[in-house]
Structure formats: structure tokens, C-alpha cells
Amino acid sequence: MNHRDHLLSVIDALTATGDVVPADTRPVEGAVVVGSGDSLSSALLAQAFGHRALSSGDITFLGRLPVGTQTVVGISHSGTSGATVQALRLAREAGVRTVAVTSNAGSPLADAADEVQLVPTLAVDEVVPCAGHLMLGLGVAAVCGVQTRGATSALSTRLRDLAPVVDGAVAALGDTAPRGISVLSLPDLRGAADFWMLKLIEATGVPTRSVALEESGHVDYFIGPEAHLEVQLVGAYGEARHERLARALESTGQTVLPVHIAGDGPDADARDRLLHELAGAVVGTVVAEAAASRWNRPPFRGGAVNMDASHIKLDGQPVA
């Protein structure tokens, strides 16, 4: 499947999928939203609505809640991520409101929560996955009080409009894998950048980090002499800074790949900003899988990595 077929398969699945229906509960307040892996990227989206996002292990393995926590929202598509289940159990024992965002109503995560925000499963065949993140991201929007009616259709429309951006990014990939990758962003695309990082690692096995735009000028400027790829996610803000920084990075031997994801400006509402991030995440997934093919680096190290997921279950704390 080429990159355009990959993108169209996600678009078609969104078109065929129903909306996330908000649970009949009040929006969360003072929330710490937790997840692991892709679900942590979904949790990061809550920051745009004034909440905090943490790796679920930050609560589970410290054994305490951050100061001022009023609600803990646990995110897991399957509802079986060990550290996330345990984080909700800990929060519940502390008497804090708990909410699960999951596709599995019968999961341990749902059992650990006072309230459950269910999300549909997006029916799409994937090698490098993004479907769960899209639905969980809309689930985050729902618990934050954002209107989700019509959101899946609106997201599919955005992705159709971004097809030329995907084509351009794939065409600009070199034929040889870099030694490392940085994904640069401003806060309007920070969640998307975090997801790009995950997907580039999964797809290519190349060490990748997500970094705030300005920090790349303070750190990435010195990377080398090994080949390093700087992916710039450019939205509605900071384009001139992106361009000036690109020239500086190129002067020290970096390869810069600008990816212009049509941005929502200052007048955009909360839903539009969320869809902007989710669309950017899909672009990153499709480009990452295309990079794996171009660089002859099969996803998940070509099956060399044990994918039974036992290492993300809590030691001595079964969640099944």
C-alpha cells in the first residue's frame, strides 16, 4: 500500500464511522489526563483545554497525585494498559473523580473509573497505527466539554485537503535514513509532533525526538557530523521563525523538511484546534510508514521486536 492509499484508507474509515457521543456527565475540572504510548499523545491534547497531561507511570510509580488534582482521566483504547489502570485505581482510592476514555466498556480501565467515555473503533487495516489516537483524541475533547458532533466527518475532509502536503513530504524524503530525527513545533501542533515522534520510531527505528521550535536552535544547531533530519511542522504561527531557523540548521549540515499543515488561526474554536492536531498526527503516520519503505527499514524492526506487550503490564498486578 503506497502513502496515498494509506491516507485514503484512514479517510474512508472516518467517513464510515459514527461520532464520539459525549457521556452524560459534566466536563472535567482540574484534570490530570494520563496515558502511555499513543494514549499519552491523546492525553497531551487536553493541555489545550487547561488540563495537565502525564505519563500514567508518573502517578503509578510515584504513588501519589499531583498537587491540586481534582480529576484523573485515564486513556487506553483497549483499557488494559497496566500503568494507566493502576493510576485510576490509585486516584479512586484517594477519593478523586476518575474518568476512563476507552473503546472497551468491559475493560479493567472502565472498571476502575467512576465514569466512562466510550469511543468507537475505527475500522481500518494499519501497519503503523493512528486510528486509536484519533478516536481517543475525540474522546478527550468530549470529556473536556468540546462539541464532537460531526467531528469524524470534518476530520476526513481536512485530511483530503492535506493530501498534497503528504505527497510533498514523502517526495522530499531522502533515499537514506538519517542517524536521528527532530520534529519541531509550536504549541498549536505540539500534540501532532509528539505523535510524529512515536510513529517515526515505530516505523523506521531511527532515534527521534519532539522538540519545541526555539529549542532546536539552541541544541540541534550543534548536532553532527552525522546526518540528521529536522522535520518542521508549520501551522498558522511562526512561519518566518521556521524559515530563519531552517537556514541556520542547514548551515551546520542538517537536512530540513518543512511540512505545512494548514493552520487554524487565533479565531479558531476549540474543536477546530483539536482537529488540526489530529490531522497533523495522521500526516505524520503516513509519512513515517512511507519513510520506512523508502529507507528499507521495515516497521517495528521488521518483526524483530517482541510485540506481546508483556513489558507494559504491571509486575505482579494482572489487569486482564
Side-chain angles (χ1 to χ4, degrees):
M1 181 168 63
N2 64 31
H3 70 273
R4 182 58 74 92
D5 290 336
H6 186 178
L7 180 63
L8 289 176
S9 69
V10 176
I11 291 170
D12 290 344
L14 285 166
T15 302
T17 300
D19 290 325
V20 171
V21 178
D24 189 19
T25 58
R26 71 188 190 279
V28 296
E29 298 177 349
V32 174
V33 186
V34 300
S36 300
D38 286 9
S39 297
L40 177 55
S41 288
S42 307
L44 289 171
L45 298 171
Q47 294 180 146
F49 309 116
H51 304 293
R52 288 176 284 180
L54 295 174
S55 168
S56 49
D58 291 346
I59 290 178
T60 295
F61 301 113
L62 282 180
R64 63 175 184 263
L65 302 180
V67 173
T69 302
Q70 299 178 51
T71 311
V72 175
V73 179
I75 302 177
S76 170
H77 200 269
S78 68
T80 60
S81 294
T84 307
V85 173
Q86 190 64 10
L88 250 62
R89 290 173 178 169
L90 189 152
R92 201 176 200 181
E93 290 170 1
V96 169
R97 179 187 179 192
T98 55
V99 180
V101 180
T102 182
S103 67
N104 186 353
S107 65
L109 186 71
D111 289 343
D114 301 319
E115 304 158 25
V116 179
Q117 173 61 61
L118 288 175
V119 301
T121 297
L122 199 60
V124 58
D125 291 329
E126 302 178 288
V127 176
V128 179
C130 67
H133 173 60
L134 301 183
M135 294 296 99
L136 291 173
L138 292 174
V140 168
V143 301
C144 291
V146 176
Q147 177 58 255
T148 54
R149 185 181 298 114
T152 52
S153 176
L155 181 56
S156 68
T157 298
R158 282 175 179 254
L159 290 174
R160 288 188 191 279
D161 293 340
L162 285 170
V165 174
V166 175
D167 290 341
V170 171
L173 292 170
D175 292 329
T176 304
R179 295 293 297 274
I181 304 172
S182 294
V183 185
L184 283 51
S185 66
L186 288 169
D188 63 318
L189 285 167
R190 188 63 41 75
D194 188 77
F195 204 71
W196 273 71
M197 175 185 67
L198 295 177
K199 299 301 112 174
L200 284 163
I201 292 171
E202 291 174 358
T204 71
V206 175
T208 306
R209 69 183 190 124
S210 171
V211 59
L213 173 67
E214 191 60 21
E215 303 320 301
S216 67
H218 290 257
V219 178
D220 291 31
Y221 187 75
F222 303 101
I223 291 176
E226 296 84 8
H228 192 83
L229 176 63
E230 303 276 347
V231 177
Q232 292 186 324
L233 300 190
V234 187
Y237 305 90
E239 184 169 359
R241 180 54 178 151
H242 274 286
E243 292 175 352
R244 190 160 66 91
L245 188 56
R247 291 193 294 271
L249 292 170
E250 288 169 344
S251 76
T252 67
Q254 317 302 329
T255 298
V256 180
L257 173 58
V259 180
H260 293 264
I261 299 174
D264 294 304
D267 296 331
D269 63 20
R271 192 181 84 157
D272 283 338
R273 292 195 298 271
L274 179 89
L275 294 179
H276 178 51
E277 289 259 47
L278 293 177
V282 175
V283 172
T285 305
V286 174
V287 172
E289 193 167 315
S293 177
R294 177 75 61 84
W295 299 337
N296 194 28
R297 298 177 68 96
F300 304 103
R301 288 172 52 191
V305 178
N306 184 347
M307 298 296 287
D308 69 4
S310 61
H311 62 287
I312 61 172
K313 306 303 181 185
L314 287 178
D315 295 338
Q317 303 240 17
V319 297

